[in-house]
Amino acid sequence: MQNKKHTSWLQIPAVQTLLASLLCIVAGVLIGYIALLIINPSGATEAILTVLKNFWTYSRPKTQLKYLGSTLVKTAPLLMCALSVLFAYKVGLFNIGAAGQYVAGAGASLYCALALQLPWWVCLLAAIVCGALLGAISGALKAYCNVNEVISCIMLNWISLYTVNTLLSQVKDPTSPYTLNLKRTNAAAALPSLGLEKLFNNNANVTIAIPLAILCAIAIWVLLAKTRLGYELRATGLNRHAAKYCGMRGKFNIILAMAIAGALAGAGAAMLYLTGFEEWSCTQSSVPAMGFNGIAAAFLGGLSPIGTIFASFFIQHITNGGAYVDKTMYCSQISDFISSVIIYLCGFVLFIRRFMNSRIAKANEEKLLPKDDAPIKTKGRILGGICVALAIFDIIDTIMLGLSLNISIVRLSIGNMDSAFIMLYVLLVIAWATLVIVGFLTRKRQLFLIAGITVTIVALISITHTAAPIGRAALTFIAYARMKIPAKSAKGGDKQ
């Protein structure tokens, strides 16, 4: 009989990416919520819910559909920038120049539309060509001069920005710093909608850019996973010297990969500016964030073209939702702060996947240990799991405290404590919970020792109810002791 290998569902890449992405999103929302609690606790809940709701803040379904369309309009260019970063990364290159290629695409498409009065498909092709040329320059410098693509891309980002500002100043509105209105100046340059605007309550900005971006994501997946060219590009990214030894054109593949990446970012700019949704500001002194947000979208999607579609929508969703936060309670930058925290944590998806794979590999190795270790290790895991459950409960309870709910156990423990001590109490509880969760996931028993000391301090500053923190301290210290592997077990493992 042949032994069949049973693969754990946690070993499936798609499942790992989904779990890692959800963990990053939850962590980002929690950190943003804690920041809102510190600034102004009374409006924190409404603010974080507003960010997550976005167009659902409106009560009328037709209005919701209209603003959903606006979110999708900006999702299309973000998806193209994410695909640009993803494609280059698959070939072993980090395309931080997606922002500059996006700028080049915007300049080419708008100049062709406003100055040359060309139709939309020519403007789109011009954006693709200019983005590809800019990407190919970085690729050629990498291939022939061994110039790091990150350095060359950063330099080209700023060169592109000021070049486009100068170029588009020729088609600028005399009364404002923005370019002329696209639809009034050259209606033929606007992307066609093919009736899609009717699905979103006649939102005139909804065009074929949305389905085009999705088709591009599918095409990139097919190219990388199902074609010979995609195999050669991925092989070059994994080991350029081995690929050259096998007869693959290493330098050509690097230039081609960066050119394709640049073309994607350039097309993304055209998909936004040829809708008439925005005009270009000829006085802007910073590179648009769209290209950099594409990095987060690519990693949140697990570097999968299909996953990147959903990741791009989520990032644009919370970015738009941040604009609805009440500015009378929080400064105007708070929405950008919350969105940036979530976007920043989205970049850790690959690290979490790598950690999950290492834990699975270590768990498989532990199956080879002597059976005498099992009861002791199992007790340690059970006690650690109980600590984690209590830690999650304490985090939720702390949130209830922030919501000013009387059902919070923390509220009962602190009594009429001074506000400074309340903040110290809350921070110590969060620190204990974080140490326990991280220590359990990484199996670093030293973190349980630090967590035990932390929750002991919590017990000392409690006023009315000290039983809960004392119980947590005792359980944490016992879990710390039980997680130790006896020396005889290690010797037994060596004998095997």
Side-chain angles (χ1 to χ4, degrees):
M1 291 180 65
Q2 293 181 347
N3 292 329
K4 291 185 178 180
K5 273 190 174 182
H6 294 283
T7 304
S8 170
W9 61 276
L10 283 174
Q11 293 177 283
I12 302 173
V15 175
Q16 289 181 347
T17 299
L18 178 62
L19 292 177
S21 300
L22 290 175
L23 181 60
C24 289
I25 291 170
V26 171
V29 171
L30 183 61
I31 292 173
Y33 182 61
I34 292 172
L36 291 172
L37 286 174
I38 294 172
I39 297 170
N40 190 342
S42 60
T45 304
E46 183 180 353
I48 198 68
L49 289 177
T50 299
V51 172
L52 295 176
K53 284 180 179 179
N54 186 11
F55 51 84
W56 278 308
T57 53
Y58 297 99
S59 57
R60 296 180 58 211
K62 289 186 177 180
T63 308
Q64 291 175 355
L65 276 176
K66 183 175 182 179
Y67 284 95
L68 169 60
S70 298
T71 300
L72 291 175
V73 168
K74 296 200 73 174
T75 299
L78 178 59
L79 173 57
M80 297 300 290
C81 289
L83 292 173
S84 173
V85 174
L86 179 153
F87 191 86
Y89 195 87
K90 289 288 187 181
V91 192
L93 301 169
F94 187 57
N95 184 26
I96 202 171
Q101 296 146 16
Y102 176 86
V103 169
S109 60
L110 286 175
Y111 187 80
C112 289
L114 301 175
L116 304 180
Q117 297 289 307
L118 296 173
W120 67 269
W121 60 272
V122 178
C123 299
L124 179 60
L125 287 176
I128 293 172
V129 170
C130 285
L133 285 175
L134 202 65
I137 292 172
S138 294
L141 290 172
K142 173 71 173 180
Y144 291 102
C145 304
N146 200 27
V147 176
N148 190 290
E149 70 275 8
V150 174
I151 302 299
S152 62
C153 284
I154 290 174
M155 297 298 103
L156 287 171
N157 283 349
W158 295 103
I159 293 171
S160 303
L161 175 65
Y162 293 116
T163 301
V164 168
N165 281 350
T166 304
L167 180 68
L168 294 184
S169 295
Q170 301 177 29
V171 289
K172 185 178 76 69
D173 188 338
T175 60
S176 74
Y178 296 96
T179 53
L180 298 170
N181 184 276
L182 177 73
K183 293 182 178 179
R184 288 199 297 265
T185 306
N186 181 14
L191 292 172
S193 63
L194 300 182
L196 291 175
E197 78 281 0
K198 296 178 182 178
L199 300 176
F200 300 94
N201 195 24
N202 294 319
N203 187 335
N205 296 316
V206 176
T207 64
I208 60 170
I210 299 168
L212 271 180
I214 295 174
L215 289 175
C216 285
I218 297 171
I220 292 299
W221 175 77
V222 172
L223 174 63
L224 288 172
K226 304 295 182 182
T227 65
R228 177 182 173 180
L229 175 61
Y231 176 78
E232 288 190 5
L233 292 174
R234 287 185 289 113
T236 303
L238 291 172
N239 192 322
R240 184 171 56 173
H241 301 292
K244 182 179 179 181
Y245 180 78
C246 293
M248 299 178 186
R249 300 169 295 176
K251 294 181 179 180
F252 174 79
N253 286 340
I254 289 174
I255 298 172
L256 179 62
M258 286 300 294
I260 294 175
L264 290 169
M271 289 181 183
L272 176 64
Y273 288 100
L274 293 183
T275 62
F277 187 78
E278 287 184 7
E279 284 86 30
W280 181 269
S281 174
C282 299
T283 59
Q284 60 182 311
S285 57
S286 59
V287 181
M290 190 71 74
F292 299 112
N293 288 350
I295 299 174
F299 282 94
L300 180 62
L303 292 176
S304 164
I306 306 303
T308 301
I309 297 174
F310 302 100
S312 300
F313 174 76
F314 172 76
I315 288 179
Q316 193 57 52
H317 177 82
I318 61 172
T319 302
N320 283 15
Y324 296 106
V325 174
D326 188 357
K327 301 301 188 297
T328 61
M329 302 186 69
Y330 300 97
C331 63
S332 58
Q333 289 82 12
I334 193 65
S335 60
D336 295 330
F337 169 76
I338 296 171
S339 302
S340 61
V341 167
I342 297 173
I343 292 171
Y344 174 77
L345 289 175
C346 290
F348 289 90
V349 171
L350 287 187
F351 296 100
I352 296 174
R353 279 189 57 184
R354 186 176 299 176
F355 170 75
M356 292 171 67
N357 287 326
S358 66
R359 299 309 307 160
I360 292 170
K362 187 173 286 187
N364 292 334
E365 290 176 6
E366 287 176 357
K367 292 179 181 178
L368 302 176
L369 289 173
K371 292 184 179 180
D372 294 339
D373 287 350
I376 297 175
K377 294 178 72 63
T378 301
K379 288 180 181 178
R381 287 179 182 176
I382 292 173
L383 291 170
I386 295 173
C387 288
V388 169
L390 289 172
I392 295 172
F393 171 79
D394 283 346
I395 291 175
I396 297 173
D397 193 61
T398 305
I399 293 174
M400 290 180 178
L401 173 67
L403 297 177
S404 301
L405 298 178
N406 292 326
I407 58 175
S408 172
I409 303 299
V410 174
R411 183 173 294 280
L412 295 176
S413 300
I414 60 181
N416 296 319
M417 192 184 298
D418 184 72
S419 59
F421 280 99
I422 293 175
M423 184 61 66
L424 176 62
Y425 187 101
V426 170
L427 290 176
L428 287 172
V429 169
I430 294 175
W432 171 80
T434 304
L435 287 167
V436 165
I437 293 173
V438 174
F440 181 78
L441 292 175
T442 61
R443 298 187 186 178
K444 302 288 185 183
R445 55 192 297 268
Q446 294 84 356
L447 294 180
F448 274 81
L449 178 61
I450 300 172
I453 296 171
T454 304
V455 79
T456 301
I457 299 173
V458 173
L460 293 176
I461 66 174
S462 297
I463 294 178
T464 56
H465 292 74
T466 59
I470 288 175
R472 282 162 172 72
L475 185 62
T476 306
F477 284 126
I478 294 171
Y480 164 76
R482 288 292 186 180
M483 282 184 176
K484 186 175 181 180
I485 301 175
K488 65 175 184 177
S489 301
K491 290 179 182 177
D494 292 338
K495 288 179 182 178
Q496 284 189 341

